[in-house]
Amino acid sequence: MASDSRGVVLPTLAPTFCSSTWWDVFALSQYRRLMSVWSLLLLGSSLVNPCQAEVSGKLLGVCYTPNPLRTPNSGYLNDDDFMSPAAKPLWGPRGRDDLGTIQKLGANTVRMYGNNQLQEHYSFLERAQELGLSVIPGMSNYPYIQQEGSCKHTGFDCFEQLKFTYAGNLRRGFLTPNRTYNPVLAHVIVINEPDNILQWNESIKAIDDPYNFSKGVISAVDGMLDAEREAGVQGPLINFTVVTTFSRCAACTQRPDLGDKGGIRQMLELRNAFLNPAQYGYPQPRNNLTEFYWTRFIHSFNTQSAAWAIKNEFIPSYEELWPHTPFYIEEFHVADIDETYDQEQSQRNELWDAMKLLEQTELLLGWNFFEFQQSLSKVEVWEHQFGMFTLGNYTLESVFMFGMTVNISCIVEANWRGVPMSKLVTETFGGEGVNLSMGCMPSPSKVEINSEGYKTVYDMEDPTAMQIFVKRVVKHLGGNPLYTAAV
């Protein structure tokens, strides 16, 4: 049995089929999902060759929050778990097939946000696996700051809230029937930006209250570890991460000499909290948080900073402070480049500079482009600018989703200052490309099998389209259309 540089015992691997660097990176990171990829490939899984990425073995992801609402005044969804069956018209192959689009961009990973532990996630994870996509799920903000009895109301002791939440996730998709982690999972996000959301009130920002945001994090992890223990999880355990902002934390207590290093001091604060929980008002953790930190924790952050800032300001300090702990960029945004420059070439250069970061350090496991679709329902207009795609004017179907009837719109290219970002992401990730030209019109393979669907296809005046529809009808009735020419 081999062990990685953190002393964690790893299973003996089959002969390598990529470069040795590929395995070295993932041994270092304990990426249990990819420990399972080899066995899945031997079993003939539909997963694609994980060496297809330009930088072998790295995760190249897309952030995915496909809110179907068009304006802040369109109503309010009472859930945002887009991994759930209710959202299948958005991500499923018979719906808009967003996951298929993400795969065609060349991504091998999808990052999720909302999460309802009462919803099943098997079908989403199964579809992702069919496409060769890893999934990075995250715990939602709900147990931290939104639910009745949230962490805000329990002194930022999040143990019970997150134990309950994570136990539900384990039961409804995160674990396989034999109680091992679902191999499609890359790692699990404990919380997104605790240094932004875990605050007592509006007068004290979370970034200025490292005591409480750190207490919230370590107690949440403790609860999730307890949920694992009670669920009887078997086999290799998945990594957890906490996504910090890339802000400077002047109030953080560790290493004040690093005050101008974005994200670094929050990470140091969390390290101190995991190793010394009593200093943060959490004197009796139920699980060994020190052992967890050194063996299963990876750092991560969201950033709107340019790749050069990560290269020159973050990575040198990080490698010195954590020579054996991997990190991940959970959100990498389009760059706000001077409008007098060539925008398309500048954005292309920025994305390739982000790819070069993966070559600069083995500690960087990958990065996610932010984001798939513009979030037009957000109140802050400036947040509408992010997204490779936006909602088109054609309604694919109307469905009941998260407490209200919503229209599932087609998607069209959303240009950033005239730049088609999906094209540049596809170039960067090495994808086959996305063709949206037929997306905003009826599809004979997706219309409802009823008189209205028949009329829609009939009005297309396309014999091939009608043939596709009739074959679906035959199959729907239990038949098998053997003679296509007769259809």
Side-chain angles (χ1 to χ4, degrees):
M1 301 287 281
S3 62
D4 72 6
S5 56
R6 296 196 285 181
V8 178
V9 176
L10 299 169
T12 301
L13 301 173
T16 59
F17 50 95
C18 303
S19 67
S20 59
T21 300
W22 187 86
W23 286 116
D24 292 342
V25 170
F26 283 91
L28 177 64
S29 69
Q30 287 184 273
Y31 252 45
R32 275 66 178 220
R33 180 193 69 81
L34 286 163
M35 293 299 135
S36 302
V37 163
W38 179 255
S39 60
L40 287 166
L41 289 169
L42 290 176
L43 292 172
S45 165
S46 58
L47 281 172
V48 298
N49 185 341
C51 305
Q52 68 181 3
E54 186 70 19
V55 182
S56 295
K58 301 290 187 171
L59 299 184
L60 303 173
V62 171
C63 300
Y64 184 61
T65 308
N67 194 311
L69 302 183
R70 288 181 170 274
T71 71
N73 300 319
S74 299
Y76 179 76
L77 299 177
N78 62 18
D79 203 336
D80 62 349
D81 185 352
F82 292 106
M83 292 190 293
S84 68
K88 195 171 184 178
L90 295 166
W91 53 259
R94 288 288 308 280
R96 202 169 66 189
D97 196 19
D98 288 350
L99 289 182
T101 298
I102 290 171
Q103 190 244 19
K104 289 176 182 176
L105 292 168
N108 57 26
T109 305
V110 56
R111 180 201 168 174
M112 305 303 296
Y113 292 81
N115 184 323
N116 184 339
Q117 76 278 1
L118 301 179
Q119 299 279 357
E120 70 92 355
H121 300 129
Y122 294 105
S123 51
F124 180 91
L125 298 178
E126 182 179 27
R127 175 59 178 162
Q129 182 169 320
E130 289 172 358
L131 294 167
L133 295 173
S134 297
V135 177
I136 301 174
M139 302 298 100
S140 76
N141 291 345
Y142 187 71
Y144 289 102
I145 60 174
Q146 295 169 336
Q147 73 175 41
E148 184 178 348
S150 70
C151 300
K152 284 182 65 174
H153 301 100
T154 56
F156 290 108
D157 183 336
C158 303
F159 178 89
E160 294 295 343
Q161 295 92 331
L162 269 295
K163 179 178 179 178
F164 175 78
T165 297
Y166 200 58
N169 278 279
L170 294 174
R171 287 193 297 270
R172 295 178 176 89
F174 284 19
L175 296 184
T176 64
N178 62 1
R179 292 184 293 173
T180 59
Y181 267 106
N182 193 319
V184 78
L185 299 177
H187 55 259
V188 174
I189 295 173
V190 175
I191 184 173
N192 185 53
E193 299 188 355
D195 51 336
N196 183 40
I197 70 167
L198 293 186
Q199 60 187 74
W200 281 108
N201 52 56
E202 295 300 321
S203 64
I204 302 177
K205 294 181 178 180
I207 192 71
D208 296 325
D209 190 9
Y211 177 93
N212 280 311
F213 77 65
S214 298
K215 179 182 178 182
V217 166
I218 60 175
S219 58
V221 168
D222 198 24
M224 293 168 69
L225 295 178
D226 229 45
E228 280 185 337
R229 180 182 58 78
E230 290 192 1
V233 178
Q234 303 296 309
L237 300 174
I238 201 167
N239 287 339
F240 290 174
T241 190
V242 171
V243 186
T244 65
T245 68
F246 206 55
S247 304
R248 292 164 173 79
C249 184
C252 287
T253 63
Q254 305 298 299
R255 292 293 300 271
D257 57 304
L258 297 175
D260 63 341
K261 305 293 184 182
I264 288 287
R265 294 190 65 197
Q266 294 95 306
M267 296 175 184
L268 285 167
E269 197 76 40
L270 291 177
R271 179 173 72 179
N272 190 56
F274 278 115
L275 304 186
N276 303 286
Q279 293 183 17
Y280 296 81
Y282 198 68
Q284 295 182 315
R286 283 73 156 181
N287 300 277
N288 190 330
L289 297 181
T290 298
E291 179 183 16
F292 161 82
Y293 179 79
W294 290 122
T295 59
R296 294 181 58 189
F297 188 76
I298 62 174
H299 288 288
S300 61
F301 59 89
N302 298 330
T303 182
Q304 290 182 254
S305 296
W308 67 262
I310 301 169
K311 174 184 177 181
N312 298 316
E313 298 177 5
F314 178 84
I315 289 178
S317 296
Y318 187 91
E319 287 183 320
E320 179 183 349
L321 292 163
W322 291 278
H324 306 301
T325 301
F327 72 97
Y328 196 92
I329 303 174
E330 296 288 358
E331 289 180 8
F332 186 83
H333 294 235
V334 292
D336 187 9
I337 295 168
D338 190 312
E339 293 188 38
T340 62
Y341 294 175
D342 181 328
Q343 291 295 303
E344 181 165 339
Q345 190 57 46
S346 297
Q347 295 294 346
R348 179 180 287 110
N349 292 343
E350 183 66 16
L351 291 174
W352 278 106
D353 285 346
M355 291 293 282
K356 291 175 185 176
L357 296 175
L358 299 170
E359 300 172 344
Q360 179 182 353
T361 175
E362 288 190 347
L363 296 179
L364 177 56
L365 300 175
W367 57 271
N368 304 323
F369 182 80
F370 185 83
E371 60 182 323
F372 179 80
Q373 176 196 303
Q374 290 180 337
S375 296
L376 302 178
S377 63
K378 290 184 176 179
V379 175
E380 299 292 339
V381 176
W382 68 268
E383 294 188 273
H384 298 178
Q385 64 188 315
F386 303 110
M388 289 177 278
F389 306 107
T390 192
L391 300 178
N393 293 324
Y394 177 73
T395 298
L396 300 172
E397 60 179 318
S398 295
V399 299
F400 190 77
M401 180 186 297
F402 304 147
M404 64 183 297
T405 299
V406 300
N407 292 331
I408 305 299
S409 301
C410 64
I411 53 173
V412 296
E413 186 76 46
N415 292 333
W416 165 264
R417 296 178 182 171
V419 179
M421 290 306 300
S422 71
K423 170 190 169 184
L424 300 190
V425 170
T426 300
E427 289 178 8
T428 305
F429 287 175
E432 65 180 82
V434 178
N435 183 359
L436 299 177
S437 61
M438 303 293 288
C440 289
M441 60 180 63
S443 169
S445 63
K446 294 182 180 180
V447 297
E448 293 292 327
I449 299 178
N450 54 28
S451 59
E452 184 177 336
Y454 170 78
K455 185 178 185 306
T456 298
V457 178
Y458 180 83
D459 290 343
M460 295 171 69
E461 298 182 352
D462 182 345
T464 301
M466 182 58 72
Q467 186 182 77
I468 293 170
F469 179 76
V470 172
K471 286 174 67 176
R472 286 180 58 209
V473 173
V474 172
K475 290 181 179 180
H476 179 73
L477 296 173
N480 185 14
L482 297 177
Y483 303 103
T484 303
V487 172

